[in-house]
Amino acid sequence: MALGRLCGSRDGSAGLWDWNQTWYTNSPRFTWCFENTVLAWIPCAYLWICFPFYYSYLRHKNKGYIRMSHIFKIKMVLGFLLVILCFSNVFFVMWEISQGIPRTPAFFISPAVLGITMILAMFLTQAERMMGIRSSGIMLIYWLLTFLSALVIFSSKIQRGLERGFLEDFFHHVATYLYVSLVLGELVLFCLVDHPPFFSKNQCPEASSSFLSKITYWWFSGLVWKGCRQSLGVDDLWSVRKKDSSEEIVAWSVSWIQMQKNRWCFFVSDITSVLHKLINIVLMSCSLFLEFIEDQEAPSWHGYFYAFVLVLLACLQTLFEQRYMYMCLVLGLRLKTAVTGLVYRKVSLASRKTVTVGEIVNLVSVDVQKLMDLIIYFNGTWLAPIRIIICFVFLWQLLGPSALASIAVFLFLLPLNFMITKRRSHFQVHFMKHKDERAKLTNAILSDIKVIKLYGWEKTFMEKVHAIRRQELQALKRSQILFSEMVWFCFAPFQIAFVMFAVYTLVDNTHVLDAQKAFVSLTLINILNTAHSFLPFSINAAVQVNCRLRFFFFGLMSFLYIPPLKGKASIIIRNGTFCWSKDTSPCLRRIDLTVPQGSLLAVVGQVGAGKSSLLSALLGDLEKMDGFVTMKGTAAYVPQQAWIQNASVEDNILFGKKMDETWFNRVVDACALQPDLESFPAGQKSEIGEKGINISGGQKQRVSLARAVYQRSSIYLLDDPLSAVDAHVGQHIFEHVLGPNGLLKDKTRVLVTHMISVLHQVDNIVVLVNGMIAEIGSYQELSQRNGAFAEFLQSHNTAEEKACSGFPGGSALCQSATPGKSAQHKESNTSVTMIFISYLQLLVNTTDLTFQLFFFLIASLQVNTSVYAAYLRAAGLPLCAYIILLFTCQQVLSFFRGYWLSVWTEDPVHNGTQQYTELRVGVFGALGVIQGLFHLSPTAVFLGGMSASHKLFLQLLRNVARSPTVFFEETPIGNLLNRFSKEMDAIDSIIPDKLKSLLGFLFNLLEIYLVIIVATPKAAIAIVPLTAFYAVFQHFYVTTSCQLRRLEAASRSPIYSHISETFHGSSVIRAYKDQERFITKSNSLVDENLRICFPGAVADRWLATNLEFLGNGVVLFAALFAAIGRTHLSPGTAGFSISYALQITGVLNWMVRSWTEIENNIVSVERVSEYSRTPKEAPWTLNNKLQGQVWLTEGRIEFRNYSLRYRPNLELALKHINLTINGKEKIGITGRTGAGKSTLAAGLLRLVEAAEGAILIDGQDIAQLGLHDLRMKITVIPQDPVLFSGTLRMNLDPLNQYTDADIWTALELTQLKNFVADLPEQLEYKCTDQGENLSTGQKQLVCLARALLQKAKVLILDEATAAIDTETDLQIQSALRTQFKESTVLTIAHRINTIMDCDRILVLENGQIAEFDTPKQLIAQKGLFYKLMEESGLV
């Protein structure tokens, strides 16, 4: 060989390789030639091969400049000394040759190569410093290889020095010692990390850790230790890395580039995965170890060598596998960030709401998690065939044609597997469908829980949810049982081993099954089993994701289409035809409209004429079928149902703009908000709850209007903003904001209104009839045409006259305000409702409401054992005991099967055959079959999980439904949606699956320990401390991981709340073109969640890496003790022990992963159960009350010294109310905003319990009744109309108590019959979420029709006709008088017209009765009621 010629011939060292010197000896060493050429040049070859690729990487990955640190200087000094030392060797050899001393070429070529490579290493070190690389894996590996080769040479030098004396070749001895010392110094320095580069902002400790710390994840140990010593908070975590942030990943301008990066990341993870899988095959060196055990003449060091090789390869497998998992998890988190960001952009930008909040929450919580799982398991789908082929090739080498039997078994099971997978996919589709339906209905219930409680519908809606839930669990149960069967069919090591061993030994008697063949085959089958067992998880993940792919990759892309908003010359619509969706008929037809700059345009018409649809068309919310729309300048939008953020009053008004104190004060005064701000505890800094739940309807509308005015936009689209405010406040707002002298006098205003009194002050009026423009013109022009507008005015005047005819002298008193003379605005002493005060006292001076939950959620370091106990009780304790018994029996049989195989391999061989082969095969097969019968354990676990999930969901649903209204005022809906979606999904799917895995791997681990200790009892000495270390690592990890899990769960809820809030306010956000601010906030919330998710993912890798290293230690000691005791250890027993020991790293890894997942997800049980400890309202029904009685026949209501407060520590909201309302009496309730009108109704329905006194209805104290017994006897029509997603019939009759004829009659009475009759499906017409495909007025009429159906003895109308025009209001009042003439009617209204025909009027002020008498007497008294009439322009 060429290398041999380089070395020449030296005594005892001739040639490159000598087996007798290297292998067949008790004191092995390499030849001098091999040491000084091949061994010394391996590191050099490695560095030169890596150089072009690594240098190119450095040039393209500039991370900044690192200043010259002491570490760098020492590296360069040592490198310089190494170069000098190498070339000194070259010069010394040349001097020796000149002196006539014979030296071979290797003497000077080898040090020259080393010296040149050292120069290259110094160059790369400098390049790393210039490019900001603080710790280099490439260079660390180079110095490690260099040190190992130098160590071998050093050892040889020592041996030769001991044999021949150290003075024989003194220079080379000294040079070698110096070389090893310097290389060791370089190795230590490259294990350290250099200073950070200039301008580096990344605070993640991974960036400041060394290469060794990165691959072992020890950089995470600081956080683990901190988590063990103290409670972790968000501030203890590092900020999100720039490359992982939402801004970086989701930004539209770089979305495609990011996709390419992610593909590259996925490609790298694939390569890493292939490497770590191939290392498994190298672990077949256990075959050589068994040969060593059998060969008693082999040198002892062979056994130690094989043992260390086994452990080295196992450690490399650990490093590669954990790196692969880490990269997959990081990629999964980026995918989660991307999808959440894309979905949010659709929510905030898209004009048509094609999905509900519940479906969106499901998408960004449950479905994204399925995609993350797929990333981890995806490679199993294509790597499994590769591993199977490789295993079959090795089996063929071991057993010959008998290995074909294993292929036959595999091919037989494969079609069964695919059949089960296909069937399971079918069930999974149904499961996902029912999950979405449940999420949709749950969101609707939580959003409108107050209305459900008013009507006493909790049980009905709970039954609807429960019905969907039963179907959901049924589909899940079938899917999981099929999954268990699929695992059994794929998890086939016994079937393959039994058939293969039986064929091998029974076909030919000369085939001897020895330890090497049996246990190496078992090792291969275990590797095969890993592929097989991984395959079901891969298929499972793929199946679950496949069920969402249509929506995700097709529906989502259309879902993410953002229609552009156009803006050109002015507000112009030409021949515009619009519809809500392409599947529906047009709601606006042939619209031609031009709005001049700076004009005020009023839009009028009956309910359902298309007024709100016209504004929606301008905003781009409708599908444009024909024509075009152009708008000039910025727009501000005030919707009919005010959208209020969960923020302070100031933030709601500013809406992202900078504070201008002067302008802010002018806007507040003009919108009549100043008295409200003065009454709020924290003034303009006061926090408003979700959807403005803690302020009145009028206050919400005025805040919404103030927000629009503050923006100083050029176009204002105002959808009946005056309907929810008192008459005098409405007049004030028109004069100071909307009218000719208001703040918006120079702006373009489109005002939808029912207030006839302001129409003479507008520039132009548009009259809409059935979705078309009937007339356009000024007030004077339209009044003279005798057209649609004249009819509109005539119907209004008729309504006014009839409203005033309810008392004598009405015609003289009820005169409309003279055109041009508005009623003088009097500042009312408006006070905030007491619920607002209580809410603000809880939240005042806080900056972020949602993150206050952190302090509540981080209550303990570890999951309390009571949570586990609660889960096991829900699953059923007898079933739990049965499951443990099944697992125990299954593992005992597995142990005896392995032991029987070891005994079989030790059977003596006579005349080339083994005795009792048939017996051995039969018993081996029988043990496997019996073990298979106990494989029902996974199915039992899933059934127990289904039982627990069912009970816990019912408990959660019942606890939430039984909570009082104040609970929903204080709890963000995102928290509740999180419980019903993400937390329940964990209980449904994750906990049972991981519990099954944990029990399987735990019993498998116990079996491995038992086998090792039985085979090599001395191994117990090592196993005990290693197990103790295992427990320590597990304790440290669980303590920190559970805290991270709680933090992560708490950080998810604000995301869902923000999505929900944005979803409901998307029209407003788009109108203001403020999407970027909301997207920025969404990015911030997602990054905050990712800030916690990332440490959680790293924690898993930290634990798995450390525990696998401990498992590798068990393998090492098992092999070492087997090698030490080989004289009295049979090959069969050794193979039994080693083959089981090799499984321990995988078992530990998966067991820890399962344990971790359970520890993290069992928190979901805790979070679901925590609502059982919250206060509950009174019982819905009382069995001992009203039995056999017919109650509420008259409708007489009596208040006896009744007082009410919203919280125990607050002032009274109603003070000592004493009054009697006779049966069938019609009572009007009025007063200024905050006087206590709605509070009186809340007390009557026991939404809030009495502080003192009592309310009697027909002589029965309502405090002694069940809530449903009371509420279902009283009909309420609330101020905000609420419809649920479902058919129109379901919304009219949720309890399904009435016939279609009854429903049509109610629709006719509410002027809706013709509208419903024209709908395609009539009563089966599908209402969208919140009834958004109906106008606000139509929704209010549907609520009125619902009340007419019930015909209760007591009717409460809470501003029920505020959203409809005066004529329709009159018709409704007439219908109510007719239909409810035998009922007691309480009408809460700010329109004085509405209550003028009542028998008596109750005037409230500051929670007390100010006046209570007939309208005639109240007018005569000229008290507060008279003042209210004056302010309304009726006197």
Side-chain angles (χ1 to χ4, degrees):
M1 292 177 64
L3 287 175
R5 289 194 295 272
L6 279 177
C7 300
S9 177
R10 301 182 78 229
D11 295 338
S13 300
L16 180 66
W17 189 263
D18 186 350
W19 283 104
N20 292 323
Q21 180 179 336
T22 306
W23 190 253
Y24 302 111
T25 177
N26 287 322
S27 54
R29 66 184 181 188
F30 296 113
T31 63
W32 178 90
C33 181
F34 185 85
E35 288 177 356
N36 287 276
T37 54
V38 175
L39 193 62
W41 294 350
I42 287 175
C44 302
Y46 159 80
L47 191 61
W48 283 102
I49 291 171
C50 293
F51 168 67
F53 305 102
Y54 186 50
Y55 187 68
S56 175
Y57 168 81
L58 290 176
R59 293 293 301 271
H60 290 89
K61 293 290 182 181
N62 191 342
K63 297 180 180 179
Y65 171 82
I66 300 177
R67 64 181 177 83
M68 283 194 182
S69 62
H70 293 302
I71 293 177
F72 173 78
K73 292 175 182 177
I74 298 173
K75 285 179 185 176
M76 298 303 286
V77 168
L78 295 183
F80 183 69
L81 292 176
L82 281 168
V83 171
I84 293 175
L85 187 61
C86 290
F87 283 104
S88 297
N89 262 325
V90 174
F91 296 140
F92 183 77
V93 170
M94 295 176 66
W95 175 81
E96 285 183 320
I97 293 173
S98 68
Q99 296 299 314
I101 301 173
R103 294 297 186 197
T104 62
F107 266 95
F108 58 86
I109 291 177
S110 185
V113 170
L114 290 176
I116 295 171
T117 306
M118 294 295 173
I119 294 174
L120 176 63
M122 293 175 65
F123 170 75
L124 286 177
T125 303
Q126 169 65 7
E128 287 175 345
R129 183 180 72 85
M130 299 301 294
M131 300 302 171
I133 304 297
R134 305 176 65 184
S135 180
S136 168
I138 295 290
M139 297 304 297
L140 178 65
I141 294 174
Y142 165 71
W143 288 111
L144 177 63
L145 293 174
T146 304
F147 175 71
L148 292 176
S149 65
L151 198 61
V152 173
I153 297 172
F154 175 76
S155 175
S156 296
K157 286 288 184 185
I158 294 293
Q159 288 184 7
R160 290 193 182 93
L162 293 174
E163 293 172 1
R164 305 178 184 179
F166 291 97
L167 297 177
E168 180 183 346
D169 196 0
F170 182 75
F171 177 81
H172 287 102
H173 274 288
V174 174
T176 300
Y177 304 153
L178 288 174
Y179 179 76
V180 172
S181 302
L182 292 172
V183 169
L184 177 61
E186 287 280 23
L187 177 62
V188 171
L189 288 173
F190 274 90
C191 288
L192 305 177
V193 63
D194 211 335
H195 291 178
F198 286 114
F199 311 112
S200 175
K201 297 181 180 179
N202 198 330
Q203 299 178 8
C204 180
E206 184 184 23
S208 60
S209 60
S210 65
F211 176 74
L212 285 177
S213 181
K214 286 178 182 176
I215 62 175
T216 58
Y217 306 100
W218 268 87
W219 58 269
F220 187 74
S221 301
L223 186 63
V224 175
W225 178 245
K226 178 183 284 188
C228 238
R229 289 185 294 114
Q230 65 185 51
S231 295
L232 290 178
V234 179
D235 294 337
D236 296 315
L237 309 177
W238 48 87
S239 58
V240 176
R241 299 181 299 184
K242 177 68 175 176
K243 59 185 178 182
D244 294 331
S245 66
S246 298
E247 182 181 3
E248 184 77 12
I249 291 175
V250 192
W252 291 106
S253 59
V254 294
S255 59
W256 177 251
I257 299 174
Q258 186 62 43
M259 190 181 299
Q260 301 308 309
K261 289 180 182 178
N262 286 344
R263 285 179 176 177
W264 167 249
C265 179
F266 199 65
F267 174 71
V268 172
S269 70
D270 288 345
I271 295 175
T272 310
S273 176
V274 172
L275 289 174
H276 100 256
K277 301 298 182 189
L278 291 180
I279 287 176
N280 264 326
I281 305 302
V282 187
L283 289 177
M284 283 187 59
S285 54
C286 68
S287 173
L288 299 174
F289 185 82
L290 292 179
E291 286 183 4
F292 160 76
I293 296 292
E294 195 169 357
D295 184 6
Q296 298 293 327
E297 301 299 325
S300 298
W301 69 268
H302 283 190
Y304 307 140
F305 173 75
Y306 291 139
F308 280 103
V309 167
L310 281 174
V311 174
L312 176 63
L313 294 175
C315 289
L316 288 176
Q317 178 197 7
T318 295
L319 294 177
F320 279 117
E321 180 172 0
Q322 296 312 318
R323 197 65 192 172
Y324 161 72
M325 293 295 294
Y326 171 77
M327 296 176 76
C328 283
L329 286 169
V330 170
L331 179 56
L333 290 175
R334 291 177 181 174
L335 176 64
K336 175 183 175 182
T337 301
V339 171
T340 305
L342 290 173
V343 169
Y344 182 81
R345 277 154 178 75
K346 169 61 184 178
V347 171
S348 62
L349 298 177
S351 59
R352 288 167 291 281
K353 298 174 182 177
T354 56
V355 291
T356 65
V357 175
E359 290 172 313
I360 292 172
V361 170
N362 248 5
L363 177 64
V364 298
S365 59
V366 179
D367 298 329
V368 169
Q369 186 61 48
K370 306 298 183 191
L371 279 174
M372 293 173 66
D373 294 340
L374 179 64
I375 290 176
I376 296 174
Y377 294 118
F378 174 75
N379 288 314
T381 57
W382 65 272
L383 278 174
I386 296 175
R387 300 183 70 190
I388 290 167
I389 292 170
I390 294 174
C391 288
F392 282 147
V393 169
F394 279 99
L395 285 172
W396 180 280
Q397 291 179 352
L398 278 171
L399 303 177
S402 300
L404 293 174
S406 62
I407 300 176
V409 173
F410 176 75
L411 292 178
F412 172 74
L413 294 175
L414 201 59
L416 292 174
N417 181 24
F418 284 117
M419 288 173 58
I420 293 172
T421 302
K422 185 176 181 181
R423 186 64 179 162
R424 186 166 188 264
S425 177
H426 172 73
F427 288 130
Q428 200 68 32
V429 169
H430 284 281
F431 172 65
M432 293 292 186
K433 176 186 173 184
H434 296 315
K435 182 183 284 290
D436 279 348
E437 288 177 1
R438 176 173 61 82
K440 188 176 179 180
L441 181 56
T442 304
N443 175 67
I445 293 171
L446 295 175
S447 297
D448 300 310
I449 189 68
K450 184 176 180 179
V451 172
I452 292 174
K453 286 190 172 296
L454 286 175
Y455 288 108
W457 287 344
E458 293 98 326
K459 285 184 179 179
T460 303
F461 278 90
M462 283 173 63
E463 288 170 3
K464 290 178 183 291
V465 174
H466 191 205
I468 299 173
R469 176 66 176 171
R470 278 197 300 269
Q471 295 176 309
E472 180 186 353
L473 286 182
Q474 186 67 19
L476 179 62
K477 182 167 72 173
R478 292 176 179 176
S479 176
Q480 296 290 30
I481 290 174
L482 283 175
F483 180 54
S484 299
E485 294 178 9
M486 184 169 64
V487 170
W488 170 238
F489 283 122
C490 290
F491 187 77
F494 163 71
Q495 292 96 317
I496 294 175
F498 172 68
V499 173
M500 191 168 57
F501 291 159
V503 170
Y504 180 74
T505 55
L506 297 178
V507 169
D508 190 342
N509 289 336
T510 61
H511 286 173
V512 175
L513 188 66
D514 57 19
Q516 181 184 354
K517 288 187 178 69
F519 290 105
V520 172
S521 297
L522 276 185
T523 303
L524 283 168
I525 291 172
N526 283 328
I527 295 172
L528 187 65
N529 169 51
T530 305
H532 278 193
S533 59
F534 202 77
L535 195 59
F537 290 102
S538 306
I539 295 173
N540 179 37
V543 163
Q544 294 193 20
V545 171
N546 181 56
C547 298
R548 311 298 289 182
L549 285 181
R550 180 180 298 274
F551 175 77
F552 221 91
F553 294 110
F554 296 100
L556 183 63
M557 295 316 293
S558 60
F559 182 57
L560 294 176
Y561 168 70
I562 310 302
L565 290 176
K566 297 179 180 179
K568 293 184 180 177
S570 60
I571 299 183
I572 300 175
I573 304 178
R574 287 288 176 264
N575 195 31
T577 300
F578 305 90
C579 61
W580 283 102
S581 68
K582 294 179 180 178
D583 302 329
T584 59
S585 58
C587 56
L588 292 173
R589 296 182 297 277
R590 298 189 297 276
I591 302 296
D592 282 288
L593 178 66
T594 301
V595 184
Q597 179 73 27
S599 66
L600 171 57
L601 174 72
V603 181
V604 298
Q606 304 292 342
V607 172
K611 303 184 293 297
S612 297
S613 298
L614 180 62
L615 299 188
S616 297
L618 292 173
L619 291 170
D621 282 357
L622 301 186
E623 288 272 4
K624 180 166 63 65
M625 301 175 68
D626 193 14
F628 69 91
V629 182
T630 58
M631 289 180 65
K632 173 189 176 182
T634 58
Y637 174 54
V638 181
Q640 190 169 8
Q641 287 182 280
W643 174 70
I644 301 297
Q645 286 184 275
N646 183 6
S648 68
V649 178
E650 180 182 296
D651 290 338
N652 267 281
I653 295 175
L654 296 182
F655 206 60
K657 297 286 186 181
K658 292 183 179 179
M659 168 60 82
D660 181 340
E661 288 285 351
T662 304
W663 178 242
F664 182 86
N665 292 330
R666 288 184 65 192
V667 170
V668 166
D669 286 334
C671 294
L673 273 173
Q674 190 59 43
D676 299 282
L677 294 184
E678 291 174 357
S679 65
F680 293 169
Q684 65 194 49
K685 301 290 185 182
S686 301
E687 292 282 338
I688 304 177
E690 275 191 307
K691 298 184 180 180
I693 196 169
N694 52 340
I695 58 177
S696 69
Q699 289 166 336
K700 284 192 285 187
Q701 194 63 271
R702 280 177 280 145
V703 169
S704 177
L705 180 63
R707 172 202 298 147
V709 177
Y710 189 84
Q711 303 303 305
R712 294 178 173 173
S713 301
S714 53
I715 298 173
Y716 284 83
L717 306 177
L718 309 155
D719 193 354
D720 204 7
L722 308 178
S723 63
V725 298
D726 297 341
H728 70 285
V729 176
Q731 194 66 40
H732 170 86
I733 290 174
F734 187 84
E735 289 180 2
H736 292 81
V737 178
L738 307 176
N741 300 315
L743 292 179
L744 304 181
K745 60 184 177 182
D746 298 325
K747 308 294 183 180
T748 303
R749 291 144 289 162
V750 179
L751 172 66
V752 173
T753 184
H754 293 127
M755 289 184 65
I756 303 298
S757 60
V758 302
L759 293 181
H760 63 279
Q761 300 183 63
V762 305
D763 299 317
N764 284 293
I765 300 171
V766 170
V767 184
L768 286 174
V769 178
N770 295 327
M772 299 194 306
I773 294 179
E775 285 185 308
I776 301 180
S778 67
Y779 183 87
Q780 289 76 14
E781 293 171 355
L782 296 182
S783 300
Q784 297 169 4
R785 287 182 190 173
N786 200 27
F789 182 70
E791 293 178 6
F792 180 77
L793 284 181
Q794 181 62 34
S795 64
H796 175 267
N797 292 333
T798 303
E800 292 284 346
E801 291 170 6
K802 290 185 178 180
C804 297
S805 63
F807 57 91
S811 58
L813 290 170
C814 293
Q815 299 176 358
S816 298
T818 305
K821 296 181 182 179
S822 60
Q824 183 181 2
H825 169 64
K826 298 183 179 181
E827 186 177 290
S828 60
N829 296 322
T830 310
S831 62
V832 71
T833 57
M834 298 307 295
I835 184 172
F836 191 17
I837 299 176
S838 63
Y839 190 88
L840 291 169
Q841 286 185 345
L842 290 171
L843 302 179
V844 67
N845 298 327
T846 59
T847 57
D848 194 337
L849 165 63
T850 53
F851 283 101
Q852 293 183 28
L853 295 168
F854 283 0
F855 300 103
F856 171 72
L857 291 166
I858 306 170
S860 60
L861 297 179
Q862 286 182 290
V863 179
N864 198 306
T865 53
S866 62
V867 179
Y868 285 100
Y871 183 78
L872 295 178
R873 281 195 301 271
L877 296 179
L879 182 60
C880 295
Y882 176 65
I883 290 170
I884 297 298
L885 178 63
L886 285 176
F887 274 104
T888 304
C889 294
Q890 182 183 336
Q891 221 61 48
V892 168
L893 287 166
S894 174
F895 171 79
F896 280 114
R897 183 163 54 83
Y899 181 75
W900 182 262
L901 183 62
S902 70
V903 174
W904 182 1
T905 60
E906 294 172 4
D907 281 350
V909 179
H910 298 289
N911 298 323
T913 62
Q914 283 178 315
Q915 303 297 315
Y916 314 117
T917 300
E918 292 82 359
L919 175 65
R920 299 297 189 192
V921 171
V923 173
F924 183 77
L927 288 171
V929 170
I930 296 172
Q931 182 188 359
L933 296 177
F934 285 98
H935 201 76
L936 296 171
S937 48
T939 304
V941 172
F942 283 129
L943 291 176
M946 293 301 99
S947 174
S949 182
H950 173 71
K951 293 177 183 176
L952 289 170
F953 180 83
L954 281 182
Q955 175 186 324
L956 172 65
L957 187 62
R958 192 178 298 112
N959 286 331
V960 171
R962 292 269 290 106
S963 297
T965 53
V966 66
F967 168 81
F968 299 97
E969 292 163 3
E970 295 176 346
T971 307
I973 192 173
N975 288 20
L976 298 172
L977 288 175
N978 189 28
R979 301 296 194 280
F980 280 100
S981 58
K982 181 73 174 179
E983 310 297 353
M984 282 312 306
D985 181 67
I987 297 172
D988 287 347
S989 305
I990 299 176
I991 293 179
D993 181 52
K994 299 308 175 185
L995 186 59
K996 180 263 302 178
S997 299
L998 175 64
L999 290 173
F1001 289 121
L1002 175 62
F1003 280 92
N1004 197 358
L1005 179 67
L1006 295 176
E1007 182 190 1
I1008 291 171
Y1009 278 175
L1010 179 63
V1011 169
I1012 293 173
I1013 293 173
V1014 168
T1016 53
K1018 292 182 180 178
I1021 301 172
I1023 287 177
V1024 171
L1026 286 175
T1027 304
F1029 277 116
Y1030 167 85
V1032 169
F1033 277 115
Q1034 181 74 12
H1035 169 73
F1036 273 83
Y1037 166 76
V1038 169
T1039 303
T1040 301
S1041 179
C1042 286
Q1043 294 184 73
L1044 291 174
R1045 165 69 177 173
R1046 287 190 177 95
L1047 287 170
E1048 192 272 332
S1051 69
R1052 278 199 311 266
S1053 296
I1055 297 175
Y1056 304 152
S1057 293
H1058 187 59
I1059 289 175
S1060 176
E1061 185 175 76
T1062 306
F1063 183 85
H1064 292 297
S1066 59
S1067 296
V1068 176
I1069 295 169
R1070 283 182 298 98
Y1072 288 94
K1073 295 183 180 179
D1074 206 17
Q1075 297 96 324
E1076 282 303 317
R1077 182 168 65 87
F1078 279 81
I1079 288 172
T1080 301
K1081 182 177 179 181
S1082 173
N1083 288 347
S1084 173
L1085 293 173
V1086 172
D1087 286 347
E1088 194 73 13
N1089 178 254
L1090 184 64
R1091 182 181 180 184
I1092 304 166
C1093 287
F1094 178 68
V1098 178
D1100 293 343
R1101 306 283 63 79
W1102 176 86
L1103 179 66
T1105 303
N1106 285 295
L1107 293 190
E1108 285 199 25
F1109 279 139
L1110 289 177
N1112 296 336
V1114 174
V1115 175
L1116 173 64
F1117 285 109
L1120 285 178
F1121 284 116
I1124 293 170
R1126 65 174 174 147
T1127 54
H1128 57 271
L1129 192 66
S1130 66
T1133 307
F1136 188 31
S1137 174
I1138 297 301
S1139 64
Y1140 270 73
L1142 286 174
Q1143 300 175 38
I1144 197 167
T1145 53
V1147 170
L1148 274 177
N1149 184 18
W1150 284 100
M1151 190 183 82
V1152 166
R1153 195 171 298 170
S1154 303
W1155 190 350
T1156 299
E1157 288 294 327
I1158 290 175
E1159 282 283 350
N1160 284 339
N1161 286 283
I1162 202 71
V1163 179
S1164 296
V1165 177
E1166 181 183 17
R1167 287 165 65 80
V1168 163
S1169 302
E1170 69 186 5
Y1171 290 139
S1172 62
R1173 299 185 293 272
T1174 56
K1176 301 294 181 289
E1177 60 185 1
W1180 288 338
T1181 57
L1182 294 175
N1183 295 330
N1184 59 339
K1185 292 290 180 183
L1186 304 180
Q1187 288 187 343
Q1189 300 180 31
V1190 179
W1191 176 68
L1192 198 51
T1193 57
E1194 182 183 354
R1196 185 174 187 272
I1197 305 172
E1198 185 178 356
F1199 289 80
R1200 294 182 178 176
N1201 197 34
Y1202 182 80
S1203 299
L1204 179 148
R1205 57 165 55 92
Y1206 282 97
R1207 299 289 186 281
N1209 57 337
L1210 297 179
E1211 295 181 2
L1212 292 173
L1214 290 177
K1215 305 167 187 176
H1216 311 296
I1217 303 294
N1218 286 283
L1219 64 92
T1220 300
I1221 299 171
N1222 299 317
K1224 305 179 185 179
E1225 195 172 12
K1226 308 300 182 284
I1227 302 297
I1229 303 174
T1230 189
R1232 302 188 190 280
T1233 302
K1237 304 184 295 292
S1238 296
T1239 304
L1240 191 71
L1244 189 59
L1245 290 158
R1246 289 180 61 194
L1247 292 179
V1248 184
E1249 298 292 351
E1252 59 179 298
I1255 300 177
L1256 279 68
I1257 301 180
D1258 283 1
Q1260 177 70 51
D1261 186 352
I1262 64 171
Q1264 305 302 317
L1265 299 175
L1267 292 180
H1268 284 183
D1269 296 332
L1270 170 67
R1271 292 170 184 171
M1272 296 185 76
K1273 294 288 186 178
I1274 300 176
T1275 297
V1276 184
I1277 305 176
Q1279 181 174 2
D1280 294 325
V1282 172
L1283 297 187
F1284 298 95
S1285 179
T1287 66
L1288 191 59
R1289 194 191 196 290
M1290 186 277 289
N1291 275 285
L1292 288 166
D1293 182 20
L1295 305 184
N1296 201 22
Q1297 295 175 321
Y1298 305 102
T1299 65
D1300 284 0
D1302 295 333
I1303 294 174
W1304 281 111
T1305 302
L1307 290 174
E1308 184 177 8
L1309 291 170
T1310 53
Q1311 316 297 317
L1312 279 176
K1313 183 177 181 180
N1314 293 335
F1315 168 74
V1316 176
D1318 292 338
L1319 294 174
E1321 298 169 329
Q1322 295 187 347
L1323 290 178
E1324 298 304 315
Y1325 178 73
K1326 296 285 185 183
C1327 298
T1328 59
D1329 192 34
Q1330 301 289 322
E1332 290 190 354
N1333 51 351
L1334 299 178
S1335 72
T1336 304
Q1338 288 169 334
K1339 287 190 287 185
Q1340 192 66 275
L1341 293 177
V1342 170
C1343 293
L1344 284 166
R1346 184 193 295 156
L1348 288 172
L1349 278 171
Q1350 293 177 317
K1351 294 182 180 177
K1353 279 295 180 181
V1354 176
L1355 173 66
I1356 301 175
L1357 292 89
D1358 188 358
E1359 309 280 10
T1361 56
I1364 55 181
D1365 58 272
T1366 308
E1367 182 186 4
T1368 307
D1369 185 7
L1370 174 66
Q1371 294 170 345
I1372 297 305
Q1373 296 296 336
S1374 175
L1376 291 175
R1377 279 194 298 271
T1378 304
Q1379 298 299 315
F1380 288 92
K1381 62 182 179 181
E1382 299 297 322
S1383 302
T1384 303
V1385 180
L1386 307 181
T1387 305
I1388 300 171
H1390 60 250
R1391 282 185 183 177
I1392 300 298
N1393 294 347
T1394 305
I1395 58 173
M1396 289 303 292
D1397 62 343
C1398 292
D1399 299 328
R1400 287 191 290 173
I1401 294 176
L1402 172 66
V1403 185
L1404 294 174
E1405 186 175 29
N1406 296 325
Q1408 295 176 310
I1409 298 176
E1411 298 172 348
F1412 184 41
D1413 212 329
T1414 62
K1416 181 179 179 181
Q1417 291 298 324
L1418 292 179
I1419 293 172
Q1421 292 174 12
K1422 293 191 177 183
L1424 180 58
F1425 181 71
Y1426 187 83
K1427 291 180 181 178
L1428 292 174
M1429 289 188 65
E1430 280 185 324
E1431 292 167 356
S1432 300
L1434 295 176
V1435 177

